[in-house]
Amino acid sequence: MARLQRTISEFIGERTAPIVEPTAPIAECVEQMKASGHSCVLVVEGGALVGIFTGRDFVNRVLAERRSVHETSVGEVMTGEPEQFAPSDCISYAINRMAVRGFRNLPIVEDGRVITALSVHDVIAHLSSVFAEIAELEADASEESMEEWFDTGGGG
Amino acid sequence: MVSNELVDVTIARIPHRRPVLAGRDQPVGELVDRLAASKRGSVIVIDDDGRVLGMFTERDVKHRLDFRDESWREVLVGDVMTVDATAIHESATFADALALMRDRRRRHLPIVGANGRVDGVLSIRDLLRFVVRHYPDHFLNLPPGPKHETSSRWGG
């Protein structure tokens, strides 16, 4: 079960997600996303995570709503109090949240300290190895159940 | 080599959505509004025969438009789209889609039928959702980490 029990910390890319204050203008957040290659910024106040702002939010909450990229602060349009994940959480848990809730960037926080964001691309890069693990597990499970069957039914 | 039933599933059997389609001479302001209204992340740009010319995504919005004034709304999508006719055939497999998304860092792939026309779009979330439903024992009812409270059957 090694791969499924691998932790989020093993999947995090090398470049960390940008961190901004709630007062940062949207234009600055977009520049930071572009420079970092991440599709989100993490919003931190007094060291604590208070929100996340993504490329999707930029389209939906800024551009489509005709807000100014210079006069709007990220604190006005971010998703506040996002679900947080720990580096020690299972990768299968992160995959569940991405699938079920549609999250593509998960804030990673350790003991209150904001580390980075796990992107859906980080997960996808490793998904085929996760499948291999599941396939092995299921093969093992069916072998075990067969052995059990022969043990109980052998009669000898 | 991963050998299990999921990786061989064809794209046609993976639930996916109707695409947002546009011709290359449509203004991006209009498309941004359509993306927001339909809660999508990409527009597939097609020619008169319904064949893929490129994609216009949140990434193109961030990287290729200039937001100093509102004139960006009038820019034609054909001038700022990612010119890439990559598409996946409906008879291709889950594993093919995963590899394409991983190798090209794509979150969306146009799905084409036998006639070469676009008739769907496959997203990374569609793939993850399919995985989670296919292997419920591994991805549902997960033991949450100590920092997560279980509030639903999804484990989060």
Side-chain angles (χ1 to χ4, degrees):
Chain A
M1 192 110 174
R3 290 191 189 96
L4 277 174
Q5 285 186 344
R6 278 166 69 178
T7 61
I8 285 175
S9 60
E10 298 173 64
F11 290 79
I12 292 170
E14 283 177 14
R15 289 192 294 182
T16 56
I19 292 173
V20 299
E21 297 268 326
T23 52
I26 294 304
E28 183 192 321
C29 297
V30 171
E31 285 308 313
Q32 293 224 27
M33 283 190 222
K34 285 161 63 174
S36 69
H38 279 265
S39 55
C40 71
V41 294
L42 300 172
V43 187
V44 169
E45 191 167 32
L49 181 74
V50 294
I52 184 169
F53 178 75
T54 68
R56 181 68 61 100
D57 299 328
F58 179 51
V59 169
N60 293 355
R61 299 179 188 168
V62 179
L63 300 180
E65 293 187 7
R66 272 56 173 183
R67 292 176 192 260
S68 160
V69 298
H70 299 287
E71 288 162 25
T72 307
S73 69
V74 69
E76 297 172 57
V77 288
M78 68 185 185
T79 298
E81 298 180 14
E83 193 172 340
Q84 300 182 12
F85 297 79
S88 56
D89 285 340
C90 277
I91 193 64
S92 54
Y93 182 68
I95 292 172
N96 175 290
R97 305 316 285 159
M98 287 178 171
V100 175
R101 297 293 305 274
F103 299 146
R104 281 163 303 171
N105 299 278
L106 308 182
I108 311 301
V109 178
E110 185 171 36
D111 300 327
R113 190 169 61 92
V114 179
I115 310 289
T116 186
L118 178 75
S119 105
V120 71
H121 290 293
D122 296 330
V123 170
I124 286 285
H126 298 276
L127 212 52
S128 50
S129 69
V130 172
F131 290 146
E133 181 74 14
I134 292 173
E136 284 167 25
L137 273 177
E138 297 201 331
D140 290 350
S142 73
E143 268 175 33
E144 277 169 24
S145 64
M146 287 299 279
E147 281 166 16
E148 197 175 298
W149 171 257
F150 288 128
D151 284 350
T152 54
Chain B
M1 175 86 183
V2 179
S3 169
N4 63 37
E5 55 184 297
L6 185 144
V7 297
D8 296 327
V9 164
T10 59
I11 301 305
R13 289 184 49 210
I14 300 172
H16 55 265
R17 302 209 287 177
R18 303 294 307 161
V20 176
L21 298 173
R24 59 177 305 133
D25 55 355
Q26 284 192 258
V28 294
E30 204 175 283
L31 296 178
V32 161
D33 292 344
R34 276 176 68 194
L35 286 178
S38 59
K39 297 194 164 105
R40 304 300 186 85
S42 70
V43 175
I44 301 174
V45 184
I46 54 172
D47 65 14
D48 293 342
D49 295 324
R51 287 167 205 281
V52 181
L53 294 172
M55 298 278 281
F56 179 66
T57 68
E58 291 158 7
R59 181 180 165 79
D60 299 314
V61 171
K62 282 183 301 188
H63 285 257
R64 298 188 170 167
L65 297 175
D66 179 348
F67 298 102
R68 275 177 296 193
D69 57 46
E70 287 289 300
S71 64
W72 65 268
R73 289 192 163 270
E74 308 311 318
V75 172
L76 302 183
V77 69
D79 294 334
V80 288
M81 68 182 183
T82 298
V83 180
D84 182 352
T86 302
I88 191 152
H89 195 274
E90 60 187 6
S91 65
T93 65
F94 179 98
D96 297 330
L98 183 67
L100 259 183
M101 287 193 184
R102 182 190 62 209
D103 297 345
R104 303 207 177 202
R105 269 186 92 77
R106 298 276 294 265
R107 292 203 300 233
H108 301 91
L109 291 173
I111 302 172
V112 296
N115 58 10
R117 288 169 170 264
V118 178
D119 60 11
V121 63
L122 185 72
S123 73
I124 269 192
R125 188 183 181 187
D126 296 330
L127 289 188
L128 293 181
R129 197 152 27 185
F130 195 69
V131 171
V132 167
R133 286 181 181 164
H134 198 86
Y135 295 117
D137 292 348
H138 301 292
F139 293 100
L140 300 185
N141 296 313
L142 298 163
K147 293 190 178 103
H148 302 287
E149 290 183 15
T150 304
S151 59
S152 74
R153 63 187 286 260
W154 301 106

